[in-house]
């Protein structure tokens, strides 16, 4: 349902637009099925954030195209919602009002969007924090708000740009588990950017390994671990260890 | 065993301390004392001076009552305040509007930069005689001078506020399909509000200066005209009444903006409190 065709993106020198600078993406092609969970894994500078931003329509590609349900897209749309690395909350709005933001833009009536927002806050486990301001809650909680805001628009595709990169390790594991539970409930296709091998394996159906200079896809690895993955200790599974070694090798060479 | 609460531990270890009365806990007492000492010294030494050159608090109070009873003070205060209000509101509306445009578009910024810099660098008092030639000695010249004094701090602060809105926040709004108008009102305006309020605080003091400057120059109506009149006829006590009223006005207006700032930008306030 989401297809990326021979995408290339070049960042030009800031002060001389004629001089080509960095090739951020070179000839990227990728196809993602409905309800699939795909991670883009790679070192910093490999273009994974650039790729997800182009899919989101926040950046335009220089060559190639992005298709959603066989339609070319090159601007943000209601079929795709983004969860940002630095949460992207508006600091003057309360938690509930931040979740309402997307619905407000869509012109959903006040009562209705409030009810909706509260429902999604409950889903991400933030009931009771409606009237807090973002700076009054922890980073992990802020990102839950970001996730609730994205889900409230019922997107077909959820785009997540290193969403758990800015939270501590314990909260991160907890959020990963909750994300899987939410994903299982909501029928959403997820594209997830990360540089953590364990995170990619734990969450995904498929991991796309990327490489830098120029930014390109090195290989795709199917994660054939059983679901649900939050029961028991899947990270102790020998298959998990195999996949981890495989991906680590792939990233190194 | 249950873990004891903080309260219980303090009780158990007898860490509760009685706080002794200390002058440091009562800054308002010290402030009142300061005012009182100042007034007493003024009264005492003021009586010794030549009444043409200086005066003392009880004489000022007496003159104040006289000016209130005759209705003169209220009348001139009303004239001054209305010029202040009209000029200030005009500078607020135009300053914020142009400031937002300047902060959001580099083209607009580059276009308006030279005239703004030139006008801002010119001491605005220097333009007052010119404005008098154009607008006469009435209400409109006061409004124009107040405007000129208050406009630039609001403009420049708004522009830098709008310019400093993080690209990330604008991007969030774009990702959620906000049209440009909504990005302006739901992201850029609230994000720039603390900057705008800082500009307003500076502008309000300058507007007051502009008002007095215009009235001193025109010397027909208003508090500035009173200052000039009583100065010329050596009624020093009455002059001081005007000065005290202006001081009160200045303090009052700054307090008002501080209160507004706290009301409008609560999130910024709590953010600061939390460090």
């Amino acid at each position: 349902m989401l297809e990326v065709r021979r995408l290339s993106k070049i960042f030009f020198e800031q002060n001389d637009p004629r001089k080509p600078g960095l090739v951020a993406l070179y000839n990227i092609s990728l196809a993602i099925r409905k309800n699939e969970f795909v991670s883009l894994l790679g070192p910093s500078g490999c273009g994974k954030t650039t790729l997800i931003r182009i899919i989101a329509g926040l950046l335009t590609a220089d060559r190639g195209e992005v298709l959603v349900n066989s339609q070319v897209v090159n601007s943000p749309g209601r079929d795709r919602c983004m969860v940002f690395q630095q949460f992207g909350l508006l600091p003057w709005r309360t938690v509930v009002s931040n979740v309402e933001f997307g619905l407000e833009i869509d012109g959903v009536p006040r009562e209705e969007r409030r009810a909706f927002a509260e429902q999604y806050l409950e889903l991400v486990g933030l009931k009771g924090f409606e009237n807090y301001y973002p700076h009054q809650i922890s980073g992990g909680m802020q990102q839950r708000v970001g996730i609730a805001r994205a889900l409230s628009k019922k997107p077909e595709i959820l785009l997540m740009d290193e969403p758990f990169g800015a939270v501590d390790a314990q909260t991160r594991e907890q959020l990963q588990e909750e994300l899987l539970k939410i994903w299982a409930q909501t029928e959403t296709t997820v594209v997830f950017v990360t540089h953590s091998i364990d995170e990619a394996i734990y969450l995904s159906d498929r991991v796309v390994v990327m490489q830098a200079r120029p930014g390109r896809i090195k290989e795709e690895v199917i994660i054939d671990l059983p679901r649900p993955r939050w029961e028991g200790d899947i990270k102790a599974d020998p298959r998990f260890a195999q996949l981890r070694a495989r991906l680590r090798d792939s990233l190194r060479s | 065993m249950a873990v004891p609460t903080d309260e219980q531990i303090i009780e158990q270890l007898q860490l509760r301390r009685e706080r002794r009365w200390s002058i440091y806990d009562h800054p308002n007492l010290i402030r009142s004392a300061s005012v009182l000492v100042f007034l007493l010294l003024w009264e005492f030494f003021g009586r010794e001076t030549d009444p043409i050159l200086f005066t003392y608090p009880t004489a000022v109070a007496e003159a104040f009552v006289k000016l209130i009873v005759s209705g003169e003070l209220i009348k001139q205060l009303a004239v001054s305040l209305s010029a202040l209000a009209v000029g200030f509101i005009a500078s607020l509306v135009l300053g914020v509007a142009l400031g937002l445009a300047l902060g959001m578009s580099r083209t607009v910024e580059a276009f308006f930069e030279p005239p703004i810099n030139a006008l801002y660098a010119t001491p605005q008092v220097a333009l007052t005689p010119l404005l008098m030639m154009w607008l006469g000695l009435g209400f409109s010249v006061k409004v124009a001078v107040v405007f000129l004094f208050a406009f630039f701090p609001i403009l420049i602060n708004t522009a830098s506020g709008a310019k400093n809105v993080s690209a990330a926040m604008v991007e969030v709004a774009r990702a959620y399909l906000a049209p440009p108008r909504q990005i302006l009102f739901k992201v850029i305006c609230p994000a720039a509000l603390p900057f705008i309020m800082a500009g307003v605080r500076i502008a309000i003091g300058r507007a007051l200066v502009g008002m007095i400057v215009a009235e001193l120059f025109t010397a027909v109506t208003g508090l500035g005209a009173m200052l000039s009149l009583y100065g010329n006829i050596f009624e020093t006590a009455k002059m001081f009444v005007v000065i005290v009223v202006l001081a009160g006005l200045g303090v009052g207006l700054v307090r008002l903006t501080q209160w507004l700032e706290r009301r409008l930008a609560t999130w910024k306030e709590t953010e600061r409190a939390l460090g």
Side-chain angles (χ1 to χ4, degrees):
Chain A
M1 70 160 315
L2 173 68
E3 204 180 333
V4 173
R5 279 190 195 152
R6 293 194 304 280
L7 210 68
S8 294
K9 174 76 185 174
I10 293 170
F11 288 125
F12 291 87
E13 292 284 326
Q14 194 106 60
N15 33 19
D16 187 359
R18 282 158 306 179
K19 213 161 96 189
L22 180 82
V23 179
L25 295 174
Y26 176 61
N27 225 6
I28 302 270
S29 292
L30 187 64
I32 295 171
R33 289 188 316 274
K34 190 166 168 49
N35 295 347
E36 197 178 9
F37 198 125
V38 174
S39 286
L40 307 177
L41 177 70
S44 43
C46 71
K48 53 195 193 299
T49 291
T50 306
L51 178 56
I52 204 170
R53 280 163 50 90
I54 292 173
I55 295 172
L58 292 168
L59 212 64
T60 49
D62 293 313
R63 291 285 180 272
E65 54 199 10
V66 176
L67 293 95
V68 176
N69 295 325
S70 319
Q71 298 284 314
V72 175
V73 293
N74 37 34
S75 62
R78 57 193 70 250
D79 44 13
R80 287 151 290 147
C81 264
M82 182 92 161
V83 174
F84 296 85
Q85 188 173 4
Q86 297 300 331
F87 322 137
L89 303 183
L90 305 176
W92 54 87
R93 282 173 169 251
T94 57
V95 162
V96 67
S97 154
N98 261 294
V99 177
E100 281 176 50
F101 183 72
L103 301 166
E104 196 179 310
I105 299 282
D106 281 354
V108 176
R110 184 183 295 270
E111 299 286 308
E112 200 177 319
R113 66 174 190 249
R114 178 58 53 108
F116 234 74
E118 275 168 5
Q119 182 189 329
Y120 279 96
L121 276 176
E122 193 168 356
L123 183 71
V124 298
L126 276 184
K127 202 175 159 62
F129 288 93
E130 287 86 350
N131 296 319
Y132 282 65
Y133 283 92
H135 62 84
Q136 294 172 316
I137 59 178
S138 68
M141 288 160 89
Q142 290 188 40
Q143 192 55 292
R144 287 165 204 246
V145 177
I147 293 170
R149 178 175 62 184
L151 291 174
S152 74
K153 300 240 322 182
K154 297 197 171 154
E156 288 177 64
I157 304 167
L158 189 60
L159 304 169
M160 307 184 87
D161 181 14
E162 293 194 40
F164 308 143
V167 301
D168 65 84
Q170 261 126 47
T171 313
R172 188 172 185 152
E173 285 196 9
Q174 203 183 335
L175 285 170
Q176 287 166 0
E177 184 180 326
E178 282 172 30
L179 175 64
L180 282 185
K181 287 180 178 162
I182 290 167
W183 176 63
Q185 281 174 46
T186 48
E187 301 243 312
T188 320
T189 308
V190 181
V191 182
F192 191 100
V193 166
T194 181
H195 55 237
S196 154
I197 296 174
D198 276 26
E199 186 168 72
I201 301 171
Y202 178 67
L203 295 172
S204 318
D205 294 321
R206 181 156 52 114
V207 175
V208 176
V209 181
M210 293 182 71
Q211 235 176 345
R213 277 162 212 281
R216 61 198 185 275
I217 292 177
K218 184 169 188 214
E219 64 171 335
E220 297 187 10
V221 176
I222 307 284
I223 306 298
D224 48 7
L225 292 167
R227 288 186 189 271
R229 292 184 187 160
W230 57 81
E231 283 164 4
D233 188 1
I234 194 126
K235 287 180 187 170
D237 192 300
R239 180 68 191 139
F240 197 101
Q242 273 173 7
L243 287 163
R244 184 193 283 138
R246 163 92 198 275
L247 287 171
R248 188 172 293 149
D249 270 356
S250 177
L251 282 173
R252 241 180 231 156
S253 51
Chain B
M1 199 189 89
V3 179
T5 64
D6 289 1
E7 190 70 15
Q8 284 166 344
I9 293 170
I10 290 168
E11 204 63 55
Q12 183 197 333
L13 300 179
Q14 297 184 341
L15 283 170
R16 194 178 298 284
R17 260 170 272 172
E18 285 302 316
R19 205 179 157 88
R20 285 175 48 201
W21 190 90
S22 155
I23 190 76
Y24 300 113
D25 297 334
H26 302 272
N28 278 330
L29 216 61
I30 307 174
R31 289 189 189 111
S32 315
S34 152
V35 173
L36 199 69
V37 167
F38 171 75
L39 284 176
L40 283 174
L41 284 176
W42 184 9
E43 183 76 31
F44 183 73
F45 290 106
R47 281 176 184 271
E48 306 291 308
T49 59
D50 185 342
I52 286 178
L53 296 179
F54 204 53
T55 185
Y56 48 92
T58 43
V60 175
E62 207 177 303
F64 180 76
V65 172
K66 266 191 207 154
L67 287 172
I68 290 281
V69 170
S70 73
E72 190 187 353
L73 185 62
I74 302 292
K75 192 179 127 203
Q76 304 298 6
L77 184 64
V79 171
S80 292
L81 282 182
S82 51
L84 183 74
V86 174
F88 184 76
I89 288 167
S91 68
L92 183 64
V93 172
L94 286 173
V96 169
L98 188 58
L100 288 173
L102 240 56
M104 280 157 42
S105 154
R106 285 195 191 196
T107 318
V108 176
E109 191 191 13
F111 185 81
F112 281 103
E113 210 175 49
I116 285 170
N117 280 345
L119 261 181
Y120 189 42
T122 314
Q124 272 106 45
V125 191
L127 298 171
T128 312
L130 184 67
L131 288 171
M132 279 166 65
M133 265 167 41
W134 291 347
L135 300 169
L137 303 178
F139 187 71
S140 49
V141 74
K142 291 188 202 176
V143 171
V145 176
V146 168
F147 174 84
L148 204 59
F149 271 72
F151 178 65
F152 291 102
I154 295 178
L155 175 78
I156 287 161
N157 271 279
T158 306
S160 74
K163 217 173 170 175
N164 280 310
V165 176
S166 78
M169 271 190 235
V170 174
E171 184 156 88
V172 170
R174 282 213 299 132
Y176 283 91
L177 307 175
R181 212 175 64 90
Q182 301 235 42
I183 294 182
L184 174 63
F185 287 114
K186 289 187 195 277
V187 178
I188 294 174
C189 280
L193 189 63
F195 288 82
I196 298 174
M197 286 310 293
V200 164
R201 207 173 36 201
I202 301 166
I204 213 142
R206 290 175 48 105
L208 205 58
V209 175
M211 178 191 89
I212 289 298
V213 164
E215 289 174 348
L216 280 175
F217 267 95
T218 56
V220 181
T221 53
L223 294 175
M226 280 175 84
L227 266 183
S228 157
L229 170 72
Y230 292 122
N232 287 335
I233 60 172
F234 301 111
E235 291 231 35
T236 313
K238 287 188 177 166
M239 242 176 100
F240 264 89
V241 171
V242 179
I243 293 172
V244 171
V245 167
L246 285 172
L249 211 57
V251 172
L253 287 173
V254 168
R255 283 278 161 85
L256 185 72
T257 46
Q258 282 170 346
W259 175 79
L260 261 179
E261 222 170 332
R262 274 200 302 275
R263 288 284 317 255
L264 291 176
T266 28
W267 59 278
K268 207 77 194 174
E269 198 64 33
T270 30
E271 210 167 52
R272 215 177 294 139
L274 290 170

